[in-house]
C-alpha cells in the first residue's frame, strides 16, 4: 500500500534517522510509489506530523534501503534507485560458511575510515584524469552531479554502467521498447 509506505517514511523522517529501511518487502511485488519518487529526487520533503495541522520541511539527507525477492520497480522509481542483487547460488544461503571475512559488519566498522578514503581516492583519480568532463555517455537526467562524479568513476574503473542496469530492469520502459520495435517491424 503506497500510502502506508509513505506514512512509515514520514514517521522515520520525523525521528531524524539517517537510514530508512524497508526490510522483507513482499516477494514478487511491484514497487511504485510517487511519494517515494519525489522524496528520492527532492532536496527536502514536506511532512505533516500526526498531531499537527501544519507541515514542516524535512531535508532529504537519508539513505533508503529495501530488501525483497524478485521485486519489480515500475514508473519513475526505476531510474531513481541503484539495485544490488545478491545471488548465493544455493538453496539455503543462510546456512553458508567459510566466508573470507567472517565478521563483515565488524570488519567494515573497524576499517570504515580506510574504505571511505579508498572511495574518495577513486573519485579524485577519476577527476584528475578528466573523466567527469571528457567524452562519455549521456548524463542521467535529474542526477547530473551523481553522474559526473560516481557513474563516470565507475565506468572509468571498468565496472558495469549502473544506468544501463537501470534501463534493463525498468519493466514499463522495456515493455514499451519491445512494443515499439515490433510496431516498426510490422508497419515500418
Amino acid at each position: 500500500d503506497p500510502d502506508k509506505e509513505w506514512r512509515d517514511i514520514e514517521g522515520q523522517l520525523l525521528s531524524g534517522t539517517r537510514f530508512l529501511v524497508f526490510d522483507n518487502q513482499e516477494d514478487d511485488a511491484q514497487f511504485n510509489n510517487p511519494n517515494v519518487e519525489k522524496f528520492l529526487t527532492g532536496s527536502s520533503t514536506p511532512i505533516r506530523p500526526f498531531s499537527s495541522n501544519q507541515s514542516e520541511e524535512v531535508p532529504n539527507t537519508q539513505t533508503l534501503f529495501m530488501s525483497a525477492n524478485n521485486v519489480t520497480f515500475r514508473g519513475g522509481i526505476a531510474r531513481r534507485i541503484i539495485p544490488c542483487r545478491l545471488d548465493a547460488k544455493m538453496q539455503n544461503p543462510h546456512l553458508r560458511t567459510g566466508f573470507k571475512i567472517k565478521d563483515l559488519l565488524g570488519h567494515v566498522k573497524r576499517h570504515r575510515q580506510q574504505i571511505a578514503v579508498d572511495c574518495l581516492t577513486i573519485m579524485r583519480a577519476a577527476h584528475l584524469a578528466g573523466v567527469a568532463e571528457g567524452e562519455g555517455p549521456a548524463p542521467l537526467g535529474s542526477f547530473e552531479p551523481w553522474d559526473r562524479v560516481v557513474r563516470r568513476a565507475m565506468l572509468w574503473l571498468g565496472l558495469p554502467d549502473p544506468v544501463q542496469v537501470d534501463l534493463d530492469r525498468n519493466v514499463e520502459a522495456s515493455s514499451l521498447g519491445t512494443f515499439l520495435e515490433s510496431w516498426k517491424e510490422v508497419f515500418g
Side-chain angles (χ1 to χ4, degrees):
D1 175 23
D3 290 332
K4 182 188 179 314
E5 289 165 353
W6 184 244
R7 285 191 303 273
D8 290 345
I9 289 175
E10 285 183 324
Q12 291 185 52
L13 289 173
L14 288 170
S15 76
T17 186
R18 293 178 57 200
F19 300 98
L20 306 174
V21 180
F22 291 90
D23 197 15
N24 296 321
Q25 295 297 298
E26 185 177 324
D27 289 354
D28 300 310
Q30 293 186 9
F31 189 82
N32 181 20
N33 189 319
N35 289 318
V36 175
E37 289 178 24
K38 285 187 255 178
F39 165 76
L40 292 173
T41 308
S43 59
S44 66
T45 301
I47 295 179
R48 185 177 59 82
F50 298 117
S51 60
S52 172
N53 290 331
Q54 295 183 355
S55 291
E56 60 182 79
E57 288 287 322
V58 175
N60 290 356
T61 57
Q62 299 79 11
T63 303
L64 186 134
F65 295 94
M66 181 174 71
S67 68
N69 290 316
N70 303 314
V71 68
T72 303
F73 298 99
R74 302 186 75 72
I77 201 141
R79 68 178 208 85
R80 290 174 168 88
I81 62 168
I82 298 174
C84 178
R85 184 165 185 81
L86 303 176
D87 184 358
K89 298 187 183 346
M90 62 187 311
Q91 185 68 30
N92 295 303
H94 60 284
L95 300 177
R96 288 177 296 174
T97 60
F99 290 103
K100 183 177 178 180
I101 300 173
K102 293 185 185 336
D103 177 17
L104 183 59
L105 183 57
H107 175 83
V108 170
K109 286 180 179 179
R110 286 188 305 278
H111 296 88
R112 182 174 183 258
Q113 184 176 6
Q114 187 59 51
I115 292 168
V117 167
D118 292 345
C119 292
L120 293 171
T121 300
I122 291 168
M123 290 189 286
R124 175 139 172 82
H127 172 75
L128 291 175
V131 170
E133 304 308 323
E135 293 290 319
L140 179 61
S142 304
F143 298 94
E144 291 85 359
W146 171 87
D147 192 284
R148 280 191 306 277
V149 175
V150 178
R151 177 186 181 204
R152 289 199 176 197
M154 291 175 67
L155 295 173
W156 182 65
L157 289 172
L159 296 171
D161 186 347
V163 172
Q164 186 59 47
V165 170
D166 166 63
L167 294 174
D168 292 343
R169 77 168 185 282
N170 185 335
V171 173
E172 291 173 343
S174 298
S175 298
L176 177 60
T178 302
F179 169 76
L180 292 174
E181 287 173 14
S182 299
W183 183 278
K184 183 178 178 183
E185 285 179 21
V186 173
F187 297 107

